[in-house]
Amino acid sequence: MPKKFKVNLNPKWCKSCGICVEFCPKRVFEFSKDGKVRVVREGDCIGCKNCELRCPDYAVEVWEEEA
Amino acid sequence: MVNIKNYLRLNKLPHIWCPGCGNGTVVRALITAIDKLGFKKDEIVVFTGIGCSARTNAILDFNTIQTTHGRTLAFATGFKLMRPEMKVIVITGDGDGAAIGGNHLIHAARRNVDITTILINNSIYGMTGGQYSPLSPQGAYATTAPYGNIEPPFDICELVKAAGATFVGRGTVYHIHLTIDLITKALSHKGFSFVEVISQCPVGYGRRNNMRSPYEMLLWQKEHAIMVKQADKYSKEDLKDKFLIGELWVNHERTEFMDSYNALVKRLSEGMKGGEV
C-alpha cells in the first residue's frame, strides 16, 4: 500500500512565487487562471517535501495521512 | 520535520518580503538548526541591522534586537561580553555586513568572539531599491550600475577567514540541506563562526539580470555552486564563474575572545590579592 500524503497550502501566507509549482516532481501544484497557486493533484504527492522546505512563506505543509 | 510555527511570531505573518525572496527559507534553515541542537528560545538572542535581512528578527520568536546599519556585530560583541551564557546569532546582508559593516565584520573575526554570523547574500541592496553591493558579481546590472557593475566583488568567506574567523561555510537557498547542516555546525562551534548563504532577490536583482522568476534564480544557484570537496576535479577555467559551497574553513587552535578576557581578569585579580597589579 503506497503512502498517502496531505498537502496544505495556506492562502493567507502564499504569495504565489511559484517555487513549489516548479520544484514539485509530481506537478501537485498549478497556477490557476487568477495567478494564484492551487493544490490540484494532492493524491500524486510522494512526500519529498521540496515544496515545504523551499517555500519562503511557510505556506505549504506536507504530512503523511494516517491509514 | 520541525514544526517551524513554534519558533515564529505568527501575528507577523505573512512577512513583508517580496514573492520568492530567499530570506524566508534562510530563516527556516536557522530554525531547523536551532531545533536540532535543542536550544530553548530564551537562550538565544538574534541581532540584525538594517535591510531586508534585518526583517528576519520581526518574525523570529527569540530575544531579538534590531540595531543600526552595519553595526550589528559591535552591539552583539558587547552583549556577548555581558551575557556570555547566551547564544548570540547575527543575521546580516551583503550590504549591511560587507559594505557598511565590513569593518565590524573583520574585527569580530579577528577577535574570534563566540558569535554565529549568517550573511544572506542576495547580491543587491533590495530594500533601498536595487543598488549594487560589494558582493554583486562583476557585470551584473543594478539601479546604480545600469551598464553593468565594473567592480569585482569580495569573496566574503575568504575575507573573513583571513581576518581570523574559526568556522567559515557557504551554502545556498537551493542547497537547503547543506545550509541547515552548516548553520548547525556554526552554532555548535566555539569562536567566530560565519555562514554565507547565497540567496535570491527576484525583484531587485533577478529581473534586471535575466532571471525573471525565483525558480530561475534557484537554478542559477544550482548550476554555479561547486562542493568544496569536489573542487580539485575542476580546472581553473571551469571554476571561473562558479563559487564553492560547503565547509570552507575550520580552526580549533585560536583562543576565543571571552577565554582571553577571563584569563586576563583572573591574572589581574590574583595580582591584586598579592598586592601588585
Side-chain angles (χ1 to χ4, degrees):
Chain A
M1 182 76 180
K3 289 178 181 171
K4 285 273 176 204
F5 292 92
K6 293 289 278 182
V7 182
N8 183 42
L9 185 82
N10 180 350
K12 283 188 186 150
W13 292 359
C14 174
K15 292 174 187 155
S16 296
C17 68
I19 287 178
C20 55
V21 178
E22 300 282 358
F23 272 103
C24 180
K26 290 291 178 182
R27 301 243 150 238
V28 169
F29 305 91
E30 238 173 43
F31 279 108
S32 61
K33 277 183 190 156
D34 60 355
K36 300 259 192 244
V37 172
R38 297 266 182 273
V39 180
V40 288
R41 279 178 283 272
E42 192 179 21
D44 291 356
C45 176
I46 52 168
C48 71
K49 300 198 178 187
N50 262 340
C51 52
E52 184 176 334
L53 267 173
R54 292 202 180 77
C55 173
D57 294 282
Y58 323 115
V60 190
E61 278 177 300
V62 179
W63 68 94
E64 198 183 328
E65 211 172 12
E66 307 265 321
Chain B
M1 195 182 268
V2 46
N3 186 359
I4 191 158
K5 286 178 186 165
N6 293 343
Y7 296 88
L8 293 173
R9 293 175 182 149
L10 297 177
N11 60 342
K12 297 284 182 193
L13 290 166
H15 52 56
I16 64 158
W17 295 312
C18 307
C21 169
N23 286 2
T25 319
V26 180
V27 167
R28 174 185 285 278
L30 173 65
I31 288 176
T32 311
I34 287 172
D35 185 77
K36 218 192 273 184
L37 294 169
F39 284 112
K40 291 197 189 83
K41 281 203 250 183
D42 277 348
E43 291 171 340
I44 295 203
V45 54
V46 181
F47 282 80
T48 63
I50 300 290
C52 295
S53 67
R55 291 301 297 176
T56 47
N57 75 1
I59 59 168
L60 280 169
D61 192 19
F62 302 112
N63 302 291
T64 54
I65 301 175
Q66 182 163 13
T67 69
T68 49
H69 206 352
R71 316 293 166 214
T72 329
L73 276 158
F75 285 87
T77 305
F79 182 89
K80 184 71 187 174
L81 281 166
M82 285 305 293
R83 297 288 300 274
E85 77 282 6
M86 297 282 280
K87 191 81 211 162
V88 181
I89 299 168
V90 167
I91 301 177
T92 181
D94 49 318
D96 189 51
I100 301 105
N103 233 309
H104 292 295
L105 183 65
I106 55 174
H107 290 291
R110 175 176 63 84
R111 289 182 182 125
N112 194 27
V113 52
D114 187 19
I115 292 173
T116 297
T117 300
I118 297 167
L119 188 145
I120 306 175
N121 177 5
N122 62 2
S123 312
I124 203 98
Y125 282 85
M127 194 172 273
T128 49
Q131 294 85 356
Y132 69 87
S133 84
L135 301 188
S136 300
Q138 203 164 18
Y141 294 92
T143 49
T144 45
Y147 308 108
N149 178 19
I150 56 167
E151 301 174 15
F154 272 138
D155 182 332
I156 197 73
C157 287
E158 285 295 322
L159 180 86
V160 174
K161 175 186 158 188
T166 45
F167 179 94
V168 180
R170 185 189 282 125
T172 77
V173 169
Y174 176 83
H175 301 86
I176 182 77
H177 294 289
L178 171 76
T179 304
I180 293 170
D181 189 43
L182 287 172
I183 296 177
T184 312
K185 283 182 179 154
L187 288 173
S188 347
H189 180 85
K190 190 178 177 189
F192 189 77
S193 51
F194 180 82
V195 179
E196 177 190 6
V197 186
I198 309 285
S199 179
Q200 73 274 15
C201 176
V203 174
Y205 184 80
R207 69 195 164 109
R208 292 193 181 88
N209 289 281
N210 260 332
M211 290 178 278
R212 297 211 154 254
S213 73
Y215 175 65
E216 283 172 81
M217 300 202 74
L218 284 164
L219 279 192
W220 181 90
Q221 293 170 15
K222 182 189 175 191
E223 284 156 12
H224 288 78
I226 291 185
M227 280 299 292
V228 64
K229 283 178 188 158
Q230 311 283 325
D232 48 4
K233 289 184 189 157
Y234 294 84
S235 69
K236 255 195 176 163
E237 194 58 31
D238 287 341
L239 290 173
K240 221 168 76 182
D241 63 338
K242 304 280 195 291
F243 54 87
L244 297 179
I245 55 168
E247 205 177 298
L248 303 176
W249 172 250
V250 191
N251 178 352
H252 292 294
E253 277 156 35
R254 291 192 73 213
T255 317
E256 197 267 323
F257 183 68
M258 281 304 294
D259 287 352
S260 310
Y261 181 77
N262 290 336
L264 174 73
V265 171
K266 195 168 170 245
R267 182 159 59 86
L268 291 184
S269 50
E270 276 165 10
M272 297 266 259
K273 275 178 213 156
E276 53 181 281
V277 177

